[in-house]
Amino acid sequence: MILKIKDALDTINPDSDLIIRTEHLLRAKTSVKKIHPYRSLATAACFFVLIGTMSIAGYGYYNHPVSYIDVDINPSLELAVNTFDRVVNVTFFNDDAEELISEDSLTGCKPEEAVSLILQAASNSGYIVDGETSVVSLAAYGNNQSKTTSVLQVCAETAVSENENIAVYSTTVTDDLK
């Protein structure tokens, strides 16, 4: 079968004008397309602008607090917690709190870990005394009430489980009450 087709094609004798036109057509179709340097530069610039914008937006989203936890022993401080349950900022309300613990040791950790570190530092500094009952107040507020309540509950449970001689008072509050 293949030989019959080959023999049939061998008998075709096209004129030279048809061969030249076909050759030009094939060369035009198979030639390498020109790469436009400005188009490539524009594409790369758009890509870098997109990546930069996404990076800045992601950084802003990570550092945006959605709930706050106020910890009051005698030193008072406030933990700003982001969507990912990480402490992103610490506000000290008095000098005792600044001396108690550094902001760097609390930023980036989970709120319950931060409360635990604060209570350990308070115990080491004498604000919580062994054998005596100390009162710790935890107040939380935020836009998402259920998330704020669950974060507060975990912090309170952690505080009670790690320290036998403290009484934890925890509540959620509104911005007005704060």
Side-chain angles (χ1 to χ4, degrees), residues 12-24:
I12 299 175
N13 291 324
D15 62 350
S16 62
D17 188 36
L18 179 63
I19 291 173
I20 292 172
R21 284 186 302 168
T22 306
E23 184 179 341
H24 286 301

Side-chain angles (χ1 to χ4, degrees), residues 1 19 25 30 33 36 43 51-52 54 59 68 84 93 110 116 119 124 126 136 141-143 161 167 172 174:
M1 174 99 173
I19 291 173
L25 180 68
T30 59
K33 292 185 179 181
H36 301 288
T43 303
I51 293 297
M54 289 175 59
Y59 179 77
Y68 299 88
F84 306 107
F93 292 130
K110 292 185 174 251
S116 178
L119 293 178
N124 293 341
V136 175
Y141 62 95
N143 293 336
S161 68
T172 56
T174 62

Side-chain angles (χ1 to χ4, degrees), residues 130-151:
D130 287 336
E132 295 180 14
T133 301
S134 300
V135 177
V136 175
S137 171
L138 298 175
Y141 62 95
N143 293 336
N144 186 343
Q145 193 67 22
S146 63
K147 184 167 180 75
T148 302
T149 303
S150 68
V151 168

Side-chain angles (χ1 to χ4, degrees), residues 32-96:
V32 177
K33 292 185 179 181
K34 267 188 172 178
I35 298 175
H36 301 288
Y38 296 117
R39 187 180 297 167
S40 298
L41 282 173
T43 303
C46 288
F47 177 74
F48 285 117
V49 166
L50 178 68
I51 293 297
T53 303
M54 289 175 59
S55 299
I56 291 169
Y59 179 77
Y61 184 69
Y62 182 83
N63 284 324
H64 179 71
V66 294
S67 59
Y68 299 88
I69 300 173
D70 288 350
V71 181
D72 294 313
I73 306 167
N74 173 10
S76 299
L77 53 97
E78 179 179 73
L79 306 172
V81 181
N82 68 4
T83 304
F84 306 107
D85 286 339
R86 298 291 178 182
V87 175
V88 292
N89 192 16
V90 180
T91 304
F92 299 106
F93 292 130
N94 54 20
D95 294 334
D96 293 339

